Amino acid sequence: MAISSRHTFILNKAPYESIKVYSTDSLRYLGSFGYEGQGPGDFEFYRLNGSGFNLGNNGKTLLVQDYKYLRTIPINDIENKLANNNLAIEYKFTIPGSLIPFNDVYLIGSTHFLGKVGFSPKHFKEFLPVQASISDVIDYPKRVNYIPKEANHHLYWSHFDTSIDAKHGVLAYMRFPMVRIFDIESQKSKYIEFQPKNKQIENIKVAGNGKSVDNSKMFSYYFNVEVSDNRIYALYQESILIRDSGTGKLSYKSEQPPALHVYDWNGNPVMKITMPTWMGIYNVSPDDSLLYFMHPEKDSLVYKINLNQLNEHQ
């Protein structure tokens, strides 16, 4: 899901129109585009990647990614373009093999991308396809000194979003109760530390492969993050992995309902929103008036919360 002040875009994995467009205020259906095929106007998708579906260029450009291509689509005057079937891809770049799989990709400039690749020495890979340039940016935190650098990508597993002007990024960490705000150009960071009910275990162990950590007894904290023009919405649910005695499958168990920790861009807490139901994908309008989310087991429904009606101290 990607939201501008006027339009909400939902990526649909069914073999029909791949991207559906709605009005942000009422969710009125406006049309669809991006069929899976090789004809005019088709996207020739190679396995959709929802983590690279977002808005850039101050909300004027939609990034649509699969596991092979990065596409940018100008969405100004989109209602007219949908009506006349003239929505066009501006740029389409092939993702280099060294970046596959390229995840959590965001558009920083018209041809400038920032995303994650497993086992990288830093948080992100910066990809400038026109210059054929790839570099590592944003150092990992230094919370545990004895973990080998090859396992840092797993220890500091995080969720990522950027401000609408792509000048600042936000990381919400899964294995540490903290949110990080950083300047994308200078790479200077500010941390927001949250005091959990259960602190992370002290004796964190490296997994047998040496490239990850044993998280079977570790607590998890932040599960996603989305931002607006003025606020940061980090999804928090203090959880631990529990193995089902019958099936042997691991799943997260929590004693608390999911909550959105809302901060301003200076790192000050604004409010906590306790969610009324289990929340999966979510996003917020740029003006902080509307929160849309989906239930992980009810993928045909979109829920809406009017944030203006919530008490600031909820």
PDB file of all heavy atoms in Angstrom, residues 70-97:
ATOM      1  N   LEU A  70      13.310  -2.484 -11.522  1.00  0.00           N
ATOM      2  CA  LEU A  70      12.834  -1.319 -10.796  1.00  0.00           C
ATOM      3  C   LEU A  70      12.164  -0.405 -11.811  1.00  0.00           C
ATOM      4  O   LEU A  70      12.766  -0.054 -12.829  1.00  0.00           O
ATOM      5  CB  LEU A  70      13.994  -0.582 -10.120  1.00  0.00           C
ATOM      6  CG  LEU A  70      14.772  -1.342  -9.044  1.00  0.00           C
ATOM      7  CD1 LEU A  70      16.094  -0.631  -8.760  1.00  0.00           C
ATOM      8  CD2 LEU A  70      13.943  -1.454  -7.769  1.00  0.00           C
ATOM      9  N   ARG A  71      10.912  -0.022 -11.552  1.00  0.00           N
ATOM     10  CA  ARG A  71      10.180   0.843 -12.470  1.00  0.00           C
ATOM     11  C   ARG A  71       9.707   2.092 -11.742  1.00  0.00           C
ATOM     12  O   ARG A  71       9.202   1.992 -10.618  1.00  0.00           O
ATOM     13  CB  ARG A  71       8.956   0.131 -13.041  1.00  0.00           C
ATOM     14  CG  ARG A  71       9.240  -1.179 -13.735  1.00  0.00           C
ATOM     15  CD  ARG A  71       7.928  -1.903 -14.018  1.00  0.00           C
ATOM     16  NE  ARG A  71       8.139  -3.209 -14.585  1.00  0.00           N
ATOM     17  CZ  ARG A  71       8.442  -4.293 -13.873  1.00  0.00           C
ATOM     18  NH1 ARG A  71       8.587  -4.198 -12.555  1.00  0.00           N
ATOM     19  NH2 ARG A  71       8.606  -5.457 -14.458  1.00  0.00           N
ATOM     20  N   THR A  72       9.821   3.254 -12.360  1.00  0.00           N
ATOM     21  CA  THR A  72       9.278   4.482 -11.799  1.00  0.00           C
ATOM     22  C   THR A  72       8.182   4.999 -12.731  1.00  0.00           C
ATOM     23  O   THR A  72       8.364   5.024 -13.958  1.00  0.00           O
ATOM     24  CB  THR A  72      10.358   5.547 -11.600  1.00  0.00           C
ATOM     25  OG1 THR A  72      10.936   5.903 -12.852  1.00  0.00           O
ATOM     26  CG2 THR A  72      11.455   5.034 -10.661  1.00  0.00           C
ATOM     27  N   ILE A  73       7.068   5.422 -12.127  1.00  0.00           N
ATOM     28  CA  ILE A  73       5.886   5.827 -12.889  1.00  0.00           C
ATOM     29  C   ILE A  73       5.410   7.188 -12.396  1.00  0.00           C
ATOM     30  O   ILE A  73       5.010   7.305 -11.233  1.00  0.00           O
ATOM     31  CB  ILE A  73       4.758   4.788 -12.739  1.00  0.00           C
ATOM     32  CG1 ILE A  73       5.258   3.410 -13.174  1.00  0.00           C
ATOM     33  CG2 ILE A  73       3.530   5.195 -13.523  1.00  0.00           C
ATOM     34  CD1 ILE A  73       4.375   2.286 -12.722  1.00  0.00           C
ATOM     35  N   PRO A  74       5.444   8.239 -13.208  1.00  0.00           N
ATOM     36  CA  PRO A  74       4.896   9.535 -12.796  1.00  0.00           C
ATOM     37  C   PRO A  74       3.380   9.417 -12.610  1.00  0.00           C
ATOM     38  O   PRO A  74       2.680   8.895 -13.476  1.00  0.00           O
ATOM     39  CB  PRO A  74       5.240  10.459 -13.968  1.00  0.00           C
ATOM     40  CG  PRO A  74       6.314   9.753 -14.734  1.00  0.00           C
ATOM     41  CD  PRO A  74       6.048   8.287 -14.550  1.00  0.00           C
ATOM     42  N   ILE A  75       2.880   9.887 -11.479  1.00  0.00           N
ATOM     43  CA  ILE A  75       1.449   9.719 -11.187  1.00  0.00           C
ATOM     44  C   ILE A  75       0.712  11.054 -11.103  1.00  0.00           C
ATOM     45  O   ILE A  75      -0.423  11.097 -10.629  1.00  0.00           O
ATOM     46  CB  ILE A  75       1.239   8.928  -9.879  1.00  0.00           C
ATOM     47  CG1 ILE A  75       1.972   9.608  -8.717  1.00  0.00           C
ATOM     48  CG2 ILE A  75       1.706   7.479 -10.054  1.00  0.00           C
ATOM     49  CD1 ILE A  75       1.631   9.013  -7.369  1.00  0.00           C
ATOM     50  N   ASN A  76       1.341  12.146 -11.551  1.00  0.00           N
ATOM     51  CA  ASN A  76       0.602  13.397 -11.622  1.00  0.00           C
ATOM     52  C   ASN A  76      -0.516  13.248 -12.655  1.00  0.00           C
ATOM     53  O   ASN A  76      -0.346  12.605 -13.699  1.00  0.00           O
ATOM     54  CB  ASN A  76       1.539  14.552 -12.009  1.00  0.00           C
ATOM     55  CG  ASN A  76       2.298  14.274 -13.292  1.00  0.00           C
ATOM     56  OD1 ASN A  76       2.966  13.251 -13.412  1.00  0.00           O
ATOM     57  ND2 ASN A  76       2.215  15.176 -14.251  1.00  0.00           N
ATOM     58  N   ASP A  77      -1.681  13.814 -12.350  1.00  0.00           N
ATOM     59  CA  ASP A  77      -2.852  13.718 -13.233  1.00  0.00           C
ATOM     60  C   ASP A  77      -3.228  12.260 -13.510  1.00  0.00           C
ATOM     61  O   ASP A  77      -3.619  11.897 -14.617  1.00  0.00           O
ATOM     62  CB  ASP A  77      -2.566  14.456 -14.548  1.00  0.00           C
ATOM     63  CG  ASP A  77      -3.822  14.713 -15.374  1.00  0.00           C
ATOM     64  OD1 ASP A  77      -4.915  14.802 -14.775  1.00  0.00           O
ATOM     65  OD2 ASP A  77      -3.722  14.800 -16.606  1.00  0.00           O
ATOM     66  N   ILE A  78      -3.133  11.430 -12.470  1.00  0.00           N
ATOM     67  CA  ILE A  78      -3.319   9.991 -12.696  1.00  0.00           C
ATOM     68  C   ILE A  78      -4.742   9.629 -13.086  1.00  0.00           C
ATOM     69  O   ILE A  78      -4.967   8.702 -13.869  1.00  0.00           O
ATOM     70  CB  ILE A  78      -2.874   9.171 -11.463  1.00  0.00           C
ATOM     71  CG1 ILE A  78      -2.854   7.673 -11.825  1.00  0.00           C
ATOM     72  CG2 ILE A  78      -3.770   9.445 -10.256  1.00  0.00           C
ATOM     73  CD1 ILE A  78      -2.209   6.800 -10.812  1.00  0.00           C
ATOM     74  N   GLU A  79      -5.736  10.351 -12.599  1.00  0.00           N
ATOM     75  CA  GLU A  79      -7.117  10.013 -12.948  1.00  0.00           C
ATOM     76  C   GLU A  79      -7.354  10.187 -14.440  1.00  0.00           C
ATOM     77  O   GLU A  79      -8.013   9.365 -15.080  1.00  0.00           O
ATOM     78  CB  GLU A  79      -8.080  10.858 -12.123  1.00  0.00           C
ATOM     79  CG  GLU A  79      -8.031  10.513 -10.634  1.00  0.00           C
ATOM     80  CD  GLU A  79      -9.001  11.333  -9.808  1.00  0.00           C
ATOM     81  OE1 GLU A  79     -10.162  11.478 -10.227  1.00  0.00           O
ATOM     82  OE2 GLU A  79      -8.596  11.827  -8.739  1.00  0.00           O
ATOM     83  N   ASN A  80      -6.822  11.243 -15.011  1.00  0.00           N
ATOM     84  CA  ASN A  80      -6.943  11.447 -16.453  1.00  0.00           C
ATOM     85  C   ASN A  80      -6.161  10.391 -17.221  1.00  0.00           C
ATOM     86  O   ASN A  80      -6.613   9.880 -18.256  1.00  0.00           O
ATOM     87  CB  ASN A  80      -6.444  12.840 -16.815  1.00  0.00           C
ATOM     88  CG  ASN A  80      -6.545  13.114 -18.301  1.00  0.00           C
ATOM     89  OD1 ASN A  80      -7.626  13.046 -18.893  1.00  0.00           O
ATOM     90  ND2 ASN A  80      -5.414  13.422 -18.918  1.00  0.00           N
ATOM     91  N   LYS A  81      -4.988  10.036 -16.699  1.00  0.00           N
ATOM     92  CA  LYS A  81      -4.168   9.020 -17.372  1.00  0.00           C
ATOM     93  C   LYS A  81      -4.846   7.655 -17.342  1.00  0.00           C
ATOM     94  O   LYS A  81      -4.788   6.899 -18.311  1.00  0.00           O
ATOM     95  CB  LYS A  81      -2.791   8.947 -16.724  1.00  0.00           C
ATOM     96  CG  LYS A  81      -1.920  10.166 -17.000  1.00  0.00           C
ATOM     97  CD  LYS A  81      -0.564  10.054 -16.315  1.00  0.00           C
ATOM     98  CE  LYS A  81       0.313  11.250 -16.646  1.00  0.00           C
ATOM     99  NZ  LYS A  81       1.625  11.177 -15.965  1.00  0.00           N
ATOM    100  N   LEU A  82      -5.495   7.323 -16.210  1.00  0.00           N
ATOM    101  CA  LEU A  82      -6.209   6.051 -16.133  1.00  0.00           C
ATOM    102  C   LEU A  82      -7.378   6.027 -17.111  1.00  0.00           C
ATOM    103  O   LEU A  82      -7.625   5.023 -17.781  1.00  0.00           O
ATOM    104  CB  LEU A  82      -6.713   5.824 -14.704  1.00  0.00           C
ATOM    105  CG  LEU A  82      -5.664   5.439 -13.657  1.00  0.00           C
ATOM    106  CD1 LEU A  82      -6.281   5.450 -12.268  1.00  0.00           C
ATOM    107  CD2 LEU A  82      -5.069   4.073 -13.951  1.00  0.00           C
ATOM    108  N   ALA A  83      -8.099   7.151 -17.175  1.00  0.00           N
ATOM    109  CA  ALA A  83      -9.264   7.220 -18.059  1.00  0.00           C
ATOM    110  C   ALA A  83      -8.874   7.075 -19.522  1.00  0.00           C
ATOM    111  O   ALA A  83      -9.623   6.498 -20.322  1.00  0.00           O
ATOM    112  CB  ALA A  83     -10.005   8.536 -17.833  1.00  0.00           C
ATOM    113  N   ASN A  84      -7.691   7.569 -19.871  1.00  0.00           N
ATOM    114  CA  ASN A  84      -7.255   7.530 -21.267  1.00  0.00           C
ATOM    115  C   ASN A  84      -6.212   6.455 -21.551  1.00  0.00           C
ATOM    116  O   ASN A  84      -5.649   6.414 -22.644  1.00  0.00           O
ATOM    117  CB  ASN A  84      -6.692   8.895 -21.663  1.00  0.00           C
ATOM    118  CG  ASN A  84      -7.752   9.975 -21.694  1.00  0.00           C
ATOM    119  OD1 ASN A  84      -8.562  10.033 -22.615  1.00  0.00           O
ATOM    120  ND2 ASN A  84      -7.775  10.823 -20.675  1.00  0.00           N
ATOM    121  N   ASN A  85      -5.956   5.621 -20.538  1.00  0.00           N
ATOM    122  CA  ASN A  85      -5.036   4.493 -20.687  1.00  0.00           C
ATOM    123  C   ASN A  85      -3.661   4.931 -21.199  1.00  0.00           C
ATOM    124  O   ASN A  85      -3.085   4.314 -22.098  1.00  0.00           O
ATOM    125  CB  ASN A  85      -5.633   3.439 -21.634  1.00  0.00           C
ATOM    126  CG  ASN A  85      -4.908   2.108 -21.545  1.00  0.00           C
ATOM    127  OD1 ASN A  85      -4.354   1.763 -20.504  1.00  0.00           O
ATOM    128  ND2 ASN A  85      -4.895   1.365 -22.644  1.00  0.00           N
ATOM    129  N   ASN A  86      -3.146   6.032 -20.622  1.00  0.00           N
ATOM    130  CA  ASN A  86      -1.844   6.520 -21.073  1.00  0.00           C
ATOM    131  C   ASN A  86      -0.859   6.689 -19.922  1.00  0.00           C
ATOM    132  O   ASN A  86       0.029   7.535 -19.961  1.00  0.00           O
ATOM    133  CB  ASN A  86      -1.994   7.832 -21.845  1.00  0.00           C
ATOM    134  CG  ASN A  86      -2.552   8.948 -20.983  1.00  0.00           C
ATOM    135  OD1 ASN A  86      -2.971   8.709 -19.849  1.00  0.00           O
ATOM    136  ND2 ASN A  86      -2.562  10.163 -21.512  1.00  0.00           N
ATOM    137  N   LEU A  87      -1.014   5.854 -18.902  1.00  0.00           N
ATOM    138  CA  LEU A  87      -0.044   5.846 -17.809  1.00  0.00           C
ATOM    139  C   LEU A  87       1.215   5.135 -18.298  1.00  0.00           C
ATOM    140  O   LEU A  87       1.142   4.007 -18.798  1.00  0.00           O
ATOM    141  CB  LEU A  87      -0.632   5.127 -16.595  1.00  0.00           C
ATOM    142  CG  LEU A  87       0.050   5.381 -15.253  1.00  0.00           C
ATOM    143  CD1 LEU A  87      -0.178   6.818 -14.811  1.00  0.00           C
ATOM    144  CD2 LEU A  87      -0.504   4.440 -14.202  1.00  0.00           C
ATOM    145  N   ALA A  88       2.366   5.776 -18.155  1.00  0.00           N
ATOM    146  CA  ALA A  88       3.588   5.236 -18.763  1.00  0.00           C
ATOM    147  C   ALA A  88       4.698   5.091 -17.740  1.00  0.00           C
ATOM    148  O   ALA A  88       4.797   5.854 -16.782  1.00  0.00           O
ATOM    149  CB  ALA A  88       4.050   6.144 -19.898  1.00  0.00           C
ATOM    150  N   ILE A  89       5.566   4.111 -17.958  1.00  0.00           N
ATOM    151  CA  ILE A  89       6.776   3.933 -17.149  1.00  0.00           C
ATOM    152  C   ILE A  89       7.809   4.955 -17.592  1.00  0.00           C
ATOM    153  O   ILE A  89       8.093   5.102 -18.785  1.00  0.00           O
ATOM    154  CB  ILE A  89       7.325   2.506 -17.318  1.00  0.00           C
ATOM    155  CG1 ILE A  89       6.321   1.470 -16.790  1.00  0.00           C
ATOM    156  CG2 ILE A  89       8.662   2.354 -16.614  1.00  0.00           C
ATOM    157  CD1 ILE A  89       6.718   0.042 -17.081  1.00  0.00           C
ATOM    158  N   GLU A  90       8.373   5.686 -16.635  1.00  0.00           N
ATOM    159  CA  GLU A  90       9.415   6.660 -16.958  1.00  0.00           C
ATOM    160  C   GLU A  90      10.771   5.976 -17.058  1.00  0.00           C
ATOM    161  O   GLU A  90      11.507   6.165 -18.034  1.00  0.00           O
ATOM    162  CB  GLU A  90       9.458   7.759 -15.909  1.00  0.00           C
ATOM    163  CG  GLU A  90      10.481   8.847 -16.206  1.00  0.00           C
ATOM    164  CD  GLU A  90      10.446   9.983 -15.203  1.00  0.00           C
ATOM    165  OE1 GLU A  90       9.964   9.766 -14.064  1.00  0.00           O
ATOM    166  OE2 GLU A  90      10.892  11.091 -15.551  1.00  0.00           O
ATOM    167  N   TYR A  91      11.133   5.188 -16.025  1.00  0.00           N
ATOM    168  CA  TYR A  91      12.399   4.465 -16.025  1.00  0.00           C
ATOM    169  C   TYR A  91      12.155   3.005 -15.672  1.00  0.00           C
ATOM    170  O   TYR A  91      11.313   2.693 -14.822  1.00  0.00           O
ATOM    171  CB  TYR A  91      13.385   5.050 -15.011  1.00  0.00           C
ATOM    172  CG  TYR A  91      13.841   6.458 -15.321  1.00  0.00           C
ATOM    173  CD1 TYR A  91      13.395   7.523 -14.552  1.00  0.00           C
ATOM    174  CD2 TYR A  91      14.730   6.713 -16.363  1.00  0.00           C
ATOM    175  CE1 TYR A  91      13.813   8.828 -14.811  1.00  0.00           C
ATOM    176  CE2 TYR A  91      15.156   7.999 -16.642  1.00  0.00           C
ATOM    177  CZ  TYR A  91      14.689   9.049 -15.858  1.00  0.00           C
ATOM    178  OH  TYR A  91      15.104  10.330 -16.132  1.00  0.00           O
ATOM    179  N   LYS A  92      12.907   2.137 -16.316  1.00  0.00           N
ATOM    180  CA  LYS A  92      12.883   0.714 -15.988  1.00  0.00           C
ATOM    181  C   LYS A  92      14.328   0.229 -15.994  1.00  0.00           C
ATOM    182  O   LYS A  92      15.003   0.247 -17.030  1.00  0.00           O
ATOM    183  CB  LYS A  92      12.057  -0.070 -17.009  1.00  0.00           C
ATOM    184  CG  LYS A  92      11.999  -1.567 -16.740  1.00  0.00           C
ATOM    185  CD  LYS A  92      11.145  -2.266 -17.795  1.00  0.00           C
ATOM    186  CE  LYS A  92      11.121  -3.765 -17.592  1.00  0.00           C
ATOM    187  NZ  LYS A  92      10.304  -4.454 -18.627  1.00  0.00           N
ATOM    188  N   PHE A  93      14.805  -0.157 -14.810  1.00  0.00           N
ATOM    189  CA  PHE A  93      16.192  -0.591 -14.658  1.00  0.00           C
ATOM    190  C   PHE A  93      16.241  -2.056 -14.241  1.00  0.00           C
ATOM    191  O   PHE A  93      15.470  -2.498 -13.385  1.00  0.00           O
ATOM    192  CB  PHE A  93      16.912   0.249 -13.602  1.00  0.00           C
ATOM    193  CG  PHE A  93      17.015   1.707 -13.942  1.00  0.00           C
ATOM    194  CD1 PHE A  93      16.292   2.644 -13.231  1.00  0.00           C
ATOM    195  CD2 PHE A  93      17.836   2.126 -14.984  1.00  0.00           C
ATOM    196  CE1 PHE A  93      16.394   4.000 -13.537  1.00  0.00           C
ATOM    197  CE2 PHE A  93      17.938   3.476 -15.305  1.00  0.00           C
ATOM    198  CZ  PHE A  93      17.217   4.415 -14.585  1.00  0.00           C
ATOM    199  N   THR A  94      17.172  -2.793 -14.822  1.00  0.00           N
ATOM    200  CA  THR A  94      17.412  -4.169 -14.413  1.00  0.00           C
ATOM    201  C   THR A  94      18.260  -4.176 -13.140  1.00  0.00           C
ATOM    202  O   THR A  94      19.273  -3.465 -13.058  1.00  0.00           O
ATOM    203  CB  THR A  94      18.143  -4.944 -15.518  1.00  0.00           C
ATOM    204  OG1 THR A  94      17.341  -4.941 -16.699  1.00  0.00           O
ATOM    205  CG2 THR A  94      18.401  -6.388 -15.087  1.00  0.00           C
ATOM    206  N   ILE A  95      17.839  -4.942 -12.151  1.00  0.00           N
ATOM    207  CA  ILE A  95      18.585  -5.040 -10.904  1.00  0.00           C
ATOM    208  C   ILE A  95      19.810  -5.935 -11.121  1.00  0.00           C
ATOM    209  O   ILE A  95      19.673  -7.075 -11.578  1.00  0.00           O
ATOM    210  CB  ILE A  95      17.702  -5.615  -9.781  1.00  0.00           C
ATOM    211  CG1 ILE A  95      16.468  -4.722  -9.566  1.00  0.00           C
ATOM    212  CG2 ILE A  95      18.485  -5.756  -8.479  1.00  0.00           C
ATOM    213  CD1 ILE A  95      15.441  -5.313  -8.623  1.00  0.00           C
ATOM    214  N   PRO A  96      21.007  -5.453 -10.811  1.00  0.00           N
ATOM    215  CA  PRO A  96      22.212  -6.282 -10.998  1.00  0.00           C
ATOM    216  C   PRO A  96      22.160  -7.548 -10.140  1.00  0.00           C
ATOM    217  O   PRO A  96      21.542  -7.568  -9.069  1.00  0.00           O
ATOM    218  CB  PRO A  96      23.343  -5.362 -10.531  1.00  0.00           C
ATOM    219  CG  PRO A  96      22.783  -3.983 -10.595  1.00  0.00           C
ATOM    220  CD  PRO A  96      21.322  -4.108 -10.299  1.00  0.00           C
ATOM    221  N   GLY A  97      22.812  -8.571 -10.610  1.00  0.00           N
ATOM    222  CA  GLY A  97      22.804  -9.843  -9.889  1.00  0.00           C
ATOM    223  C   GLY A  97      23.334  -9.739  -8.478  1.00  0.00           C
ATOM    224  O   GLY A  97      22.885 -10.447  -7.577  1.00  0.00           O
TER     225      GLY A  97
END
